Amino acid sequence: MKIVSVTTPGCVLCRENADPGSLVVDLAATDADAEETTKLTYRLEELVKDYFDVTDGGQVVTRSRLDREETPFYAFHVTVSDSEDPQTALSTKCLVEVAVEDENDQV
């Protein structure tokens, strides 16, 4: 697999207390030999699985409400693979950085 591009716009903002399932970033990965292998799989680091999820299409979404006072910034890797079989898969990692945008909690 040759990843032609994995689009991440640098550090992204995510609103504090955004509803679970809110889009954080859309990772656009492409496989140069897509004629041979067409299904890409996305996997998050275990460290952030309580806070984020990644869809089959490469969208990173919130899994729970984020609290800026608890954690103002997240940095984690998403692994993109061209096969679900670890014996034959070729993969690459991309860094996702999320800054949690402050919201007035005192209202």
Side-chain angles (χ1 to χ4, degrees), residues 1 3 5-8 12 24-29 40-49 52-61 74-81 90-98:
M1 174 177 76
I3 297 293
S5 67
V6 179
T7 304
T8 55
V12 295
V24 176
V25 65
D26 194 357
L27 304 174
L40 296 177
T41 58
Y42 298 82
R43 191 176 71 247
L44 283 177
E45 289 183 70
E46 289 293 325
L47 179 67
V48 295
K49 285 191 173 183
F52 300 98
D53 200 3
V54 63
T55 67
D56 291 342
Q59 293 181 323
V60 176
V61 297
Y74 295 87
F76 54 92
H77 287 98
V78 175
T79 302
V80 184
S81 302
L90 296 173
S91 61
T92 191
K93 290 183 180 183
C94 66
L95 178 65
V96 176
E97 297 176 308
V98 180

